[in-house]
Coordinates of all heavy atoms in Angstrom, one line a residue:
M17 N 0.5 21.6 -8.9 CA 0.5 20.9 -7.6 C 1.2 19.6 -7.8 O 1.0 18.8 -8.7 CB -1.0 20.7 -7.2 CG -1.1 20.1 -5.9 SD -2.9 19.7 -5.4 CE -3.4 21.4 -5.2
E18 N 2.0 19.3 -6.8 CA 2.7 18.0 -6.8 C 1.8 16.9 -6.4 O 0.9 17.0 -5.6 CB 3.9 18.1 -5.8 CG 4.8 17.0 -5.7 CD 5.9 17.2 -4.8 OE1 6.5 18.2 -4.8 OE2 6.2 16.2 -4.1
Q19 N 2.1 15.7 -7.0 CA 1.3 14.5 -6.7 C 1.5 14.0 -5.3 O 2.7 14.0 -4.8 CB 1.7 13.5 -7.7 CG 1.0 12.1 -7.5 CD 1.4 11.1 -8.5 OE1 1.1 11.4 -9.7 NE2 2.0 10.0 -8.2
Q20 N 0.5 13.6 -4.6 CA 0.6 13.1 -3.3 C -0.2 11.8 -3.2 O -1.3 11.7 -3.8 CB 0.0 14.1 -2.3 CG 0.2 13.7 -0.8 CD 0.1 14.9 0.1 OE1 -0.2 16.0 -0.3 NE2 0.3 14.6 1.4
I21 N 0.3 10.8 -2.5 CA -0.3 9.5 -2.3 C -1.0 9.4 -1.0 O -0.3 9.7 0.1 CB 0.7 8.4 -2.5 CG1 1.4 8.6 -3.9 CG2 0.0 7.0 -2.3 CD1 1.2 7.6 -4.9
I22 N -2.2 9.0 -0.9 CA -2.9 8.7 0.3 C -2.9 7.2 0.4 O -3.5 6.5 -0.4 CB -4.3 9.3 0.4 CG1 -4.2 10.9 0.3 CG2 -5.0 8.9 1.7 CD1 -5.6 11.5 0.2
V23 N -2.3 6.7 1.4 CA -2.1 5.2 1.6 C -3.5 4.6 2.0 O -4.4 5.3 2.5 CB -1.0 4.9 2.6 CG1 0.3 5.3 2.1 CG2 -1.3 5.4 4.0
E24 N -3.6 3.3 1.9 CA -4.8 2.6 2.2 C -5.4 2.9 3.6 O -6.6 3.1 3.7 CB -4.6 1.1 2.0 CG -5.9 0.3 2.1 CD -5.8 -1.1 1.8 OE1 -5.0 -1.8 2.5 OE2 -6.5 -1.5 0.8
Q25 N -4.5 2.9 4.6 CA -5.0 3.2 5.9 C -5.7 4.5 6.0 O -6.7 4.7 6.7 CB -3.9 3.0 7.0 CG -4.3 3.2 8.4 CD -5.4 2.2 8.8 OE1 -5.2 1.0 8.8 NE2 -6.5 2.7 9.3
D26 N -5.1 5.5 5.4 CA -5.7 6.9 5.4 C -6.9 7.0 4.6 O -7.8 7.8 4.9 CB -4.6 7.9 5.0 CG -3.6 8.1 6.1 OD1 -3.9 7.8 7.3 OD2 -2.5 8.7 5.8
V27 N -7.1 6.1 3.5 CA -8.3 6.1 2.8 C -9.4 5.6 3.7 O -10.5 6.1 3.8 CB -8.2 5.2 1.5 CG1 -9.6 5.0 0.8 CG2 -7.2 5.8 0.5
A28 N -9.1 4.5 4.4 CA -10.1 4.0 5.4 C -10.3 5.0 6.5 O -11.5 5.2 6.9 CB -9.5 2.7 6.0
N29 N -9.3 5.7 7.0 CA -9.5 6.7 8.0 C -10.4 7.9 7.5 O -11.2 8.4 8.2 CB -8.2 7.3 8.4 CG -7.3 6.4 9.2 OD1 -7.8 5.4 9.7 ND2 -6.0 6.7 9.3
A30 N -10.3 8.2 6.2 CA -11.2 9.2 5.6 C -12.6 8.8 5.7 O -13.5 9.6 6.0 CB -10.7 9.5 4.1
V31 N -12.9 7.5 5.4 CA -14.3 7.0 5.5 C -14.7 7.1 7.0 O -15.9 7.5 7.2 CB -14.3 5.5 5.0 CG1 -15.7 5.0 5.3 CG2 -14.0 5.5 3.5
C32 N -13.9 6.8 7.9 CA -14.2 6.9 9.3 C -14.6 8.3 9.7 O -15.6 8.5 10.4 CB -13.1 6.4 10.2 SG -12.7 4.7 10.1
V33 N -13.8 9.3 9.2 CA -14.1 10.7 9.5 C -15.4 11.1 8.9 O -16.2 11.8 9.6 CB -12.9 11.5 9.0 CG1 -13.3 13.0 9.1 CG2 -11.7 11.3 9.8
L34 N -15.7 10.7 7.7 CA -17.0 11.1 7.0 C -18.2 10.5 7.8 O -19.1 11.2 8.1 CB -17.0 10.7 5.6 CG -18.3 11.0 4.8 CD1 -18.4 12.5 4.6 CD2 -18.3 10.2 3.5
I35 N -18.1 9.2 8.0 CA -19.3 8.5 8.7 C -19.5 9.1 10.1 O -20.6 9.3 10.5 CB -19.1 7.0 8.7 CG1 -19.1 6.4 7.3 CG2 -20.2 6.3 9.6 CD1 -20.3 6.7 6.5
A36 N -18.4 9.3 10.8 CA -18.5 9.9 12.2 C -19.1 11.3 12.1 O -19.9 11.6 13.0 CB -17.1 9.9 12.8
K37 N -18.7 12.1 11.2 CA -19.2 13.4 11.0 C -20.7 13.4 10.8 O -21.5 14.1 11.4 CB -18.5 14.2 9.9 CG -19.0 15.6 9.7 CD -18.3 16.3 8.6 CE -18.8 17.7 8.4 NZ -18.3 18.4 7.3
E38 N -21.1 12.6 9.9 CA -22.5 12.5 9.5 C -23.4 11.9 10.6 O -24.6 12.2 10.8 CB -22.7 11.6 8.3 CG -22.2 12.2 7.0 CD -22.3 11.3 5.8 OE1 -22.6 10.1 5.9 OE2 -22.0 11.8 4.7
S39 N -22.8 11.1 11.5 CA -23.5 10.4 12.5 C -23.3 11.0 13.9 O -23.8 10.5 14.9 CB -23.1 8.9 12.6 OG -23.4 8.3 11.4
R40 N -22.5 12.1 13.9 CA -22.1 12.7 15.2 C -21.5 11.7 16.2 O -22.0 11.6 17.3 CB -23.3 13.4 15.8 CG -23.9 14.5 14.9 CD -25.1 15.2 15.5 NE -25.9 15.9 14.6 CZ -25.8 17.2 14.3 NH1 -24.9 17.9 14.9 NH2 -26.6 17.7 13.4
A41 N -20.5 11.1 15.7 CA -19.8 10.0 16.5 C -18.3 10.3 16.4 O -17.9 11.3 15.8 CB -20.2 8.6 16.0
M42 N -17.6 9.5 17.1 CA -16.1 9.6 17.0 C -15.6 8.7 15.9 O -16.0 7.5 15.7 CB -15.5 9.1 18.3 CG -15.9 10.0 19.5 SD -15.4 11.7 19.3 CE -13.6 11.5 19.3
P43 N -14.6 9.1 15.1 CA -14.0 8.3 14.0 C -13.5 6.9 14.5 O -13.6 6.0 13.8 CB -12.9 9.2 13.5 CG -13.3 10.6 13.8 CD -14.0 10.5 15.1
D44 N -13.0 6.9 15.7 CA -12.5 5.6 16.3 C -13.6 4.6 16.5 O -13.3 3.4 16.6 CB -11.8 5.9 17.6 CG -10.5 6.6 17.5 OD1 -10.0 6.7 16.3 OD2 -10.0 7.1 18.5
D45 N -14.9 5.0 16.5 CA -16.0 4.1 16.7 C -16.4 3.4 15.3 O -17.3 2.5 15.4 CB -17.2 4.8 17.3 CG -16.9 5.3 18.7 OD1 -16.0 4.7 19.4 OD2 -17.5 6.3 19.1
V46 N -15.8 3.9 14.2 CA -16.2 3.4 12.9 C -15.2 2.3 12.5 O -14.0 2.5 12.6 CB -16.3 4.5 11.9 CG1 -16.7 4.0 10.5 CG2 -17.2 5.6 12.4
E47 N -15.8 1.2 12.0 CA -14.9 0.1 11.4 C -15.2 0.1 9.9 O -16.3 0.2 9.4 CB -15.3 -1.2 11.9 CG -14.9 -1.4 13.4 CD -15.2 -2.8 13.9 OE1 -15.2 -3.7 13.1 OE2 -15.5 -2.9 15.1
V48 N -14.1 0.0 9.1 CA -14.2 0.2 7.6 C -13.5 -1.0 6.9 O -12.5 -1.5 7.3 CB -13.5 1.5 7.1 CG1 -13.5 1.6 5.6 CG2 -14.3 2.7 7.7
E49 N -14.2 -1.4 5.8 CA -13.6 -2.4 4.9 C -13.7 -1.8 3.5 O -14.8 -1.5 3.0 CB -14.3 -3.7 5.0 CG -13.7 -4.8 4.2 CD -14.3 -6.2 4.4 OE1 -14.7 -6.5 5.5 OE2 -14.3 -6.9 3.4
L50 N -12.5 -1.7 2.9 CA -12.5 -1.2 1.5 C -12.5 -2.4 0.6 O -12.0 -3.5 0.9 CB -11.2 -0.4 1.3 CG -10.9 0.8 2.2 CD1 -9.5 1.4 2.0 CD2 -12.0 1.9 1.9
A51 N -13.0 -2.1 -0.6 CA -13.1 -3.2 -1.6 C -13.0 -2.6 -3.0 O -13.2 -1.4 -3.3 CB -14.5 -3.9 -1.5
Y52 N -12.6 -3.5 -3.9 CA -12.6 -3.2 -5.4 C -13.2 -4.4 -6.1 O -12.9 -5.5 -5.8 CB -11.2 -2.9 -5.9 CG -11.2 -2.7 -7.4 CD1 -11.6 -1.5 -7.9 CD2 -10.9 -3.7 -8.2 CE1 -11.7 -1.3 -9.2 CE2 -10.9 -3.5 -9.6 CZ -11.3 -2.3 -10.1 OH -11.4 -2.1 -11.5
D53 N -14.1 -4.1 -7.1 CA -14.7 -5.1 -7.9 C -14.6 -4.6 -9.3 O -14.9 -3.4 -9.6 CB -16.2 -5.3 -7.5 CG -16.9 -6.3 -8.3 OD1 -17.5 -5.9 -9.3 OD2 -16.9 -7.5 -7.9
D54 N -14.3 -5.5 -10.3 CA -14.2 -5.1 -11.7 C -15.5 -4.5 -12.2 O -15.4 -3.6 -13.1 CB -13.8 -6.3 -12.5 CG -12.3 -6.7 -12.4 OD1 -11.5 -5.8 -12.0 OD2 -12.0 -7.8 -12.6
D55 N -16.6 -4.9 -11.8 CA -17.9 -4.4 -12.3 C -18.3 -3.1 -11.6 O -18.8 -2.2 -12.2 CB -19.0 -5.5 -12.1 CG -18.7 -6.7 -13.0 OD1 -18.1 -6.5 -14.1 OD2 -19.1 -7.8 -12.6
D56 N -18.2 -3.1 -10.3 CA -18.7 -2.0 -9.5 C -17.6 -0.9 -9.1 O -18.0 0.2 -8.6 CB -19.3 -2.5 -8.2 CG -20.5 -3.4 -8.5 OD1 -21.2 -3.1 -9.5 OD2 -20.7 -4.4 -7.7
G57 N -16.4 -1.2 -9.3 CA -15.3 -0.3 -8.9 C -15.0 -0.3 -7.5 O -15.1 -1.3 -6.8
F58 N -14.6 0.9 -6.9 CA -14.2 1.0 -5.5 C -15.4 1.2 -4.6 O -16.4 1.9 -5.0 CB -13.2 2.2 -5.4 CG -12.0 2.0 -6.1 CD1 -11.8 2.5 -7.4 CD2 -10.9 1.3 -5.5 CE1 -10.6 2.3 -8.0 CE2 -9.7 1.0 -6.2 CZ -9.6 1.6 -7.5
S59 N -15.4 0.6 -3.5 CA -16.4 0.8 -2.5 C -15.9 0.6 -1.1 O -14.7 0.2 -0.9 CB -17.6 -0.2 -2.8 OG -17.1 -1.5 -2.6
A60 N -16.7 0.9 -0.1 CA -16.4 0.7 1.3 C -17.6 0.3 2.0 O -18.8 0.7 1.7 CB -15.7 1.9 1.9
E61 N -17.4 -0.5 3.1 CA -18.5 -0.8 4.0 C -18.0 -0.3 5.4 O -16.9 -0.6 5.8 CB -18.7 -2.3 4.1 CG -20.2 -2.7 4.0 CD -20.3 -4.2 4.0 OE1 -19.9 -4.8 5.0 OE2 -20.9 -4.6 3.1
A62 N -18.8 0.6 6.0 CA -18.5 1.2 7.3 C -19.5 0.8 8.3 O -20.7 0.9 8.0 CB -18.4 2.7 7.2
E63 N -19.1 0.3 9.5 CA -20.0 -0.1 10.5 C -19.8 0.8 11.7 O -18.7 1.1 12.2 CB -19.8 -1.5 10.9 CG -20.8 -2.0 11.9 CD -20.7 -3.4 12.3 OE1 -20.0 -4.2 11.6 OE2 -21.2 -3.8 13.4
L64 N -21.0 1.4 12.2 CA -21.0 2.2 13.4 C -22.2 1.8 14.2 O -23.3 1.9 13.7 CB -21.0 3.7 13.0 CG -21.2 4.7 14.1 CD1 -20.0 4.7 15.0 CD2 -21.4 6.1 13.5
N65 N -22.0 1.4 15.4 CA -23.1 1.0 16.3 C -24.0 0.0 15.7 O -25.2 0.2 15.9 CB -23.8 2.3 16.8 CG -22.9 3.3 17.5 OD1 -22.0 2.9 18.2 ND2 -23.2 4.5 17.4
G66 N -23.5 -0.9 15.0 CA -24.4 -1.9 14.4 C -25.0 -1.6 13.1 O -25.6 -2.4 12.4
N67 N -24.9 -0.3 12.7 CA -25.4 0.1 11.4 C -24.4 0.1 10.3 O -23.2 0.6 10.6 CB -26.0 1.6 11.5 CG -27.1 1.7 12.5 OD1 -28.0 0.8 12.5 ND2 -27.1 2.8 13.2
V68 N -24.7 -0.5 9.2 CA -23.7 -0.6 8.1 C -24.0 0.4 7.0 O -25.2 0.6 6.6 CB -23.8 -2.1 7.5 CG1 -22.8 -2.2 6.3 CG2 -23.5 -3.1 8.5
H69 N -23.0 1.1 6.6 CA -23.1 2.2 5.6 C -22.3 1.7 4.4 O -21.1 1.3 4.5 CB -22.5 3.5 6.1 CG -23.1 4.0 7.4 ND1 -24.1 4.9 7.4 CD2 -22.9 3.7 8.7 CE1 -24.5 5.2 8.6 NE2 -23.7 4.4 9.4
H70 N -22.9 1.7 3.2 CA -22.3 1.3 2.0 C -21.9 2.6 1.2 O -22.8 3.4 1.0 CB -23.2 0.4 1.1 CG -23.6 -0.8 1.8 ND1 -22.8 -2.0 1.9 CD2 -24.7 -1.2 2.5 CE1 -23.4 -2.9 2.6 NE2 -24.6 -2.5 3.0
L71 N -20.6 2.6 0.9 CA -20.2 3.8 0.1 C -19.7 3.4 -1.3 O -18.9 2.5 -1.4 CB -19.0 4.5 0.9 CG -19.3 5.2 2.1 CD1 -19.5 4.3 3.3 CD2 -18.3 6.3 2.4
N72 N -20.2 4.0 -2.3 CA -19.7 3.8 -3.6 C -18.5 4.7 -3.9 O -18.0 5.4 -3.0 CB -20.8 4.0 -4.7 CG -21.3 5.4 -4.7 OD1 -20.7 6.3 -4.1 ND2 -22.5 5.6 -5.3
T73 N -18.0 4.6 -5.1 CA -16.8 5.4 -5.5 C -17.0 6.9 -5.2 O -16.1 7.6 -4.7 CB -16.4 5.2 -6.9 OG1 -16.2 3.8 -7.1 CG2 -15.1 5.9 -7.3
T74 N -18.1 7.4 -5.6 CA -18.4 8.8 -5.4 C -18.3 9.2 -3.9 O -17.8 10.3 -3.6 CB -19.8 9.2 -6.0 OG1 -19.9 8.8 -7.3 CG2 -20.1 10.7 -5.8
R75 N -18.9 8.4 -3.1 CA -18.9 8.7 -1.6 C -17.4 8.5 -1.1 O -17.0 9.3 -0.1 CB -19.8 7.8 -0.9 CG -21.3 8.0 -1.2 CD -21.9 9.2 -0.4 NE -22.0 8.7 1.0 CZ -22.0 9.5 2.0 NH1 -21.9 10.8 1.9 NH2 -22.1 9.0 3.3
L76 N -16.6 7.6 -1.6 CA -15.2 7.5 -1.2 C -14.5 8.8 -1.6 O -13.7 9.3 -0.7 CB -14.6 6.3 -1.9 CG -14.8 5.0 -1.3 CD1 -14.2 3.9 -2.2 CD2 -14.3 4.9 0.1
V77 N -14.7 9.3 -2.7 CA -14.1 10.6 -3.1 C -14.6 11.7 -2.2 O -13.8 12.6 -1.8 CB -14.4 10.9 -4.6 CG1 -13.9 12.3 -4.9 CG2 -13.7 9.9 -5.5
E78 N -15.8 11.7 -1.8 CA -16.3 12.7 -0.9 C -15.6 12.6 0.5 O -15.2 13.6 1.1 CB -17.8 12.5 -0.7 CG -18.5 13.5 0.3 CD -19.9 13.2 0.6 OE1 -20.5 12.3 -0.1 OE2 -20.5 13.8 1.5
A79 N -15.4 11.4 0.9 CA -14.7 11.2 2.2 C -13.2 11.7 2.1 O -12.7 12.3 3.0 CB -14.7 9.7 2.6
L80 N -12.6 11.4 0.9 CA -11.2 11.8 0.7 C -11.1 13.4 0.6 O -10.2 13.9 1.1 CB -10.7 11.2 -0.6 CG -10.3 9.7 -0.4 CD1 -10.2 9.0 -1.8 CD2 -9.1 9.5 0.4
R81 N -12.1 14.0 0.1 CA -12.1 15.5 0.0 C -12.2 16.1 1.4 O -11.5 17.0 1.7 CB -13.3 16.0 -0.8 CG -13.0 15.8 -2.3 CD -13.9 16.6 -3.2 NE -13.8 16.2 -4.6 CZ -12.8 16.5 -5.4 NH1 -11.8 17.1 -5.0 NH2 -12.8 16.1 -6.7
L82 N -13.0 15.5 2.3 CA -13.1 15.9 3.7 C -11.7 15.7 4.4 O -11.2 16.5 5.1 CB -14.2 15.1 4.4 CG -14.4 15.5 5.9 CD1 -14.7 16.9 6.1 CD2 -15.4 14.5 6.5
W83 N -11.1 14.5 4.1 CA -9.8 14.2 4.7 C -8.7 15.2 4.2 O -7.9 15.7 5.0 CB -9.4 12.8 4.3 CG -8.0 12.3 4.7 CD1 -6.9 12.4 4.0 CD2 -7.7 11.8 6.0 NE1 -5.8 11.9 4.8 CE2 -6.3 11.5 6.0 CE3 -8.4 11.5 7.1 CZ2 -5.7 10.9 7.1 CZ3 -7.8 10.9 8.2 CH2 -6.4 10.7 8.2
I84 N -8.7 15.5 2.9 CA -7.8 16.4 2.3 C -7.9 17.8 3.0 O -6.9 18.4 3.3 CB -7.9 16.5 0.8 CG1 -7.4 15.2 0.2 CG2 -7.2 17.7 0.2 CD1 -7.9 15.0 -1.3
E85 N -9.1 18.2 3.2 CA -9.4 19.6 3.8 C -8.9 19.6 5.2 O -8.2 20.5 5.7 CB -10.8 19.9 3.7 CG -11.2 21.2 4.3 CD -12.7 21.5 4.2 OE1 -13.5 20.6 4.4 OE2 -13.0 22.7 3.9
Q86 N -9.2 18.6 6.0 CA -9.0 18.6 7.4 C -7.5 18.2 7.8 O -7.0 18.7 8.8 CB -10.0 17.6 8.2 CG -11.4 18.2 8.2 CD -12.3 17.3 9.0 OE1 -11.9 16.3 9.5 NE2 -13.5 17.8 9.1
Y87 N -7.0 17.2 7.1 CA -5.7 16.7 7.5 C -4.5 17.1 6.6 O -3.4 17.0 7.0 CB -5.8 15.2 7.6 CG -6.7 14.7 8.7 CD1 -8.0 14.5 8.5 CD2 -6.2 14.7 10.0 CE1 -8.9 14.1 9.5 CE2 -7.1 14.3 11.1 CZ -8.4 14.1 10.8 OH -9.3 13.7 11.8
L88 N -4.8 17.4 5.4 CA -3.7 17.8 4.5 C -3.6 19.3 4.3 O -2.7 19.9 3.6 CB -3.8 17.1 3.1 CG -3.7 15.6 3.2 CD1 -3.8 15.0 1.7 CD2 -2.4 15.1 3.9
D89 N -4.7 20.0 4.8 CA -4.7 21.5 4.7 C -4.6 22.0 3.3 O -3.9 22.9 3.0 CB -3.7 22.1 5.6 CG -4.0 23.6 5.9 OD1 -5.2 23.9 5.9 OD2 -3.1 24.4 6.1
M90 N -5.3 21.3 2.4 CA -5.3 21.7 1.0 C -6.8 22.0 0.6 O -7.7 21.6 1.3 CB -4.8 20.5 0.1 CG -3.4 20.1 0.3 SD -2.9 18.6 -0.5 CE -3.4 18.8 -2.2
D91 N -7.0 22.7 -0.5 CA -8.3 22.9 -1.1 C -8.8 21.6 -1.7 O -8.3 21.1 -2.7 CB -8.2 24.0 -2.1 CG -9.6 24.3 -2.8 OD1 -10.6 23.7 -2.4 OD2 -9.6 25.2 -3.6
P92 N -9.8 21.0 -1.1 CA -10.3 19.7 -1.5 C -11.0 19.8 -2.9 O -11.0 18.8 -3.6 CB -11.3 19.3 -0.4 CG -11.8 20.6 0.1 CD -10.6 21.5 0.1
M93 N -11.5 20.9 -3.3 CA -12.2 21.0 -4.6 C -11.2 21.2 -5.7 O -11.5 20.9 -6.9 CB -13.2 22.1 -4.6 CG -14.3 21.8 -3.5 SD -14.8 20.1 -3.5 CE -16.4 20.2 -4.1
A94 N -10.0 21.7 -5.4 CA -9.0 21.9 -6.4 C -8.2 20.7 -6.7 O -7.5 20.6 -7.6 CB -8.1 23.1 -6.0
A95 N -8.3 19.7 -5.8 CA -7.5 18.5 -5.8 C -8.2 17.5 -6.8 O -9.4 17.2 -6.7 CB -7.4 17.9 -4.5
G96 N -7.4 17.0 -7.7 CA -7.8 15.8 -8.5 C -7.5 14.6 -7.8 O -6.4 14.3 -7.4
I97 N -8.6 13.7 -7.6 CA -8.4 12.5 -6.8 C -8.6 11.3 -7.7 O -9.7 11.2 -8.4 CB -9.4 12.5 -5.7 CG1 -9.2 13.7 -4.7 CG2 -9.3 11.1 -4.9 CD1 -10.3 13.8 -3.7
Q98 N -7.7 10.4 -7.7 CA -7.8 9.2 -8.5 C -7.6 8.0 -7.5 O -6.5 7.9 -6.9 CB -6.8 9.1 -9.6 CG -6.8 7.8 -10.4 CD -5.6 7.7 -11.4 OE1 -4.7 8.5 -11.4 NE2 -5.7 6.7 -12.2
L99 N -8.6 7.1 -7.4 CA -8.4 5.9 -6.7 C -7.7 4.9 -7.5 O -8.0 4.8 -8.7 CB -9.8 5.4 -6.2 CG -10.5 6.2 -5.1 CD1 -12.0 5.8 -5.0 CD2 -9.8 6.0 -3.8
K100 N -6.9 4.1 -6.9 CA -6.1 3.1 -7.6 C -5.9 1.8 -6.8 O -5.7 1.9 -5.6 CB -4.7 3.7 -8.0 CG -3.8 2.8 -8.8 CD -2.5 3.4 -9.1 CE -1.6 2.4 -9.8 NZ -0.3 2.9 -10.0
L101 N -6.0 0.7 -7.4 CA -5.7 -0.6 -6.8 C -4.3 -1.0 -7.1 O -3.9 -1.2 -8.2 CB -6.7 -1.7 -7.2 CG -6.5 -3.0 -6.6 CD1 -6.7 -3.0 -5.1 CD2 -7.5 -4.0 -7.2
D102 N -3.4 -0.9 -6.0 CA -2.0 -1.2 -6.2 C -1.8 -2.6 -5.6 O -2.2 -3.0 -4.6 CB -1.2 -0.2 -5.4 CG 0.3 -0.3 -5.6 OD1 0.8 0.3 -6.5 OD2 0.9 -1.1 -4.8
D103 N -1.0 -3.4 -6.4 CA -0.7 -4.8 -6.0 C 0.0 -4.9 -4.6 O -0.3 -5.8 -3.9 CB 0.2 -5.4 -7.0 CG -0.5 -5.7 -8.3 OD1 -1.8 -5.8 -8.3 OD2 0.1 -5.8 -9.4
E104 N 0.8 -3.9 -4.3 CA 1.5 -4.0 -3.0 C 0.9 -3.1 -1.9 O 0.9 -3.5 -0.8 CB 3.0 -3.5 -3.2 CG 3.8 -4.5 -4.1 CD 5.2 -4.0 -4.4 OE1 5.6 -3.1 -3.6 OE2 5.8 -4.5 -5.3
E105 N 0.3 -2.0 -2.3 CA -0.2 -1.0 -1.3 C -1.7 -1.1 -1.0 O -2.2 -0.5 -0.1 CB 0.2 0.4 -1.8 CG 1.6 0.7 -2.0 CD 2.4 0.6 -0.7 OE1 1.9 1.0 0.4 OE2 3.6 0.2 -0.7
G106 N -2.4 -1.9 -1.9 CA -3.8 -2.0 -1.7 C -4.5 -0.8 -2.4 O -4.1 -0.3 -3.4
I107 N -5.6 -0.4 -1.8 CA -6.4 0.8 -2.4 C -5.8 2.1 -1.9 O -5.8 2.3 -0.7 CB -7.9 0.7 -2.0 CG1 -8.5 -0.6 -2.6 CG2 -8.6 1.9 -2.4 CD1 -9.9 -0.9 -2.2
I108 N -5.3 2.9 -2.8 CA -4.7 4.1 -2.5 C -5.4 5.2 -3.3 O -6.1 5.0 -4.2 CB -3.2 4.1 -2.8 CG1 -2.9 3.9 -4.3 CG2 -2.4 3.1 -2.0 CD1 -1.5 4.1 -4.8
A109 N -5.1 6.5 -2.9 CA -5.6 7.6 -3.7 C -4.4 8.5 -4.1 O -3.5 8.8 -3.3 CB -6.6 8.4 -2.8
I110 N -4.5 8.9 -5.3 CA -3.5 9.8 -5.9 C -4.1 11.2 -6.0 O -5.2 11.3 -6.6 CB -3.0 9.3 -7.2 CG1 -2.3 7.9 -7.1 CG2 -2.0 10.3 -7.8 CD1 -2.0 7.2 -8.4
V111 N -3.5 12.1 -5.3 CA -4.0 13.5 -5.3 C -3.1 14.4 -6.1 O -1.9 14.4 -5.9 CB -4.2 14.0 -3.8 CG1 -4.7 15.4 -3.8 CG2 -5.0 13.1 -3.0
R112 N -3.7 15.2 -7.0 CA -2.9 16.1 -7.8 C -3.4 17.5 -7.6 O -4.5 17.8 -7.5 CB -3.0 15.7 -9.3 CG -2.3 14.4 -9.5 CD -2.3 14.0 -10.9 NE -1.6 12.7 -10.9 CZ -1.7 11.9 -11.8 NH1 -2.3 12.1 -12.9 NH2 -1.0 10.7 -11.7

């Protein structure tokens, strides 16, 4: 399988889709902030209707698997996903 890059905006969009699906809301109603910390790794904070959802790296990968299935039309479980902090692109995901 050829390597594919999911840009930072689509990583955030993946979180929106996951939170919206779990909350039975529209992805456009979710606001997301992605973060990286040397101690905790990758994370995201998503806000929907005043409720804040904290996602750790595992949940980010879960969101990306949903994104891969719905928007890239690939088998999400066969895809290897690596989150990466890029100096120019921000937080991206490499899919293999």
Side-chain angles (χ1 to χ4, degrees):
M17 179 183 291
E18 186 175 316
Q19 175 177 300
Q20 187 161 0
I21 305 247
I22 299 176
V23 297
E24 184 173 64
Q25 182 60 56
D26 286 340
V27 173
N29 290 344
V31 173
C32 291
V33 169
L34 177 69
I35 297 300
K37 179 181 178 185
E38 292 176 349
S39 302
R40 301 180 198 264
M42 297 299 295
D44 289 344
D45 295 335
V46 181
E47 292 183 29
V48 174
E49 185 173 325
L50 301 173
Y52 175 79
D53 180 271
D54 286 335
D55 295 327
D56 299 325
F58 295 95
S59 64
E61 227 177 59
E63 184 178 343
L64 174 64
N65 299 327
N67 296 321
V68 178
H69 304 263
H70 300 279
L71 289 81
N72 61 16
T73 302
T74 303
R75 293 278 286 152
L76 281 174
V77 170
E78 179 183 350
L80 286 162
R81 289 197 189 284
L82 179 62
W83 178 266
I84 288 167
E85 180 179 42
Q86 290 185 356
Y87 294 93
L88 299 182
D89 198 31
M90 296 169 53
D91 180 358
M93 299 319 248
I97 301 170
Q98 176 188 8
L99 289 165
K100 181 179 177 189
L101 180 60
D102 184 89
D103 290 337
E104 295 177 15
E105 301 295 324
I107 296 173
I108 61 172
I110 300 169
V111 180
R112 297 184 177 159

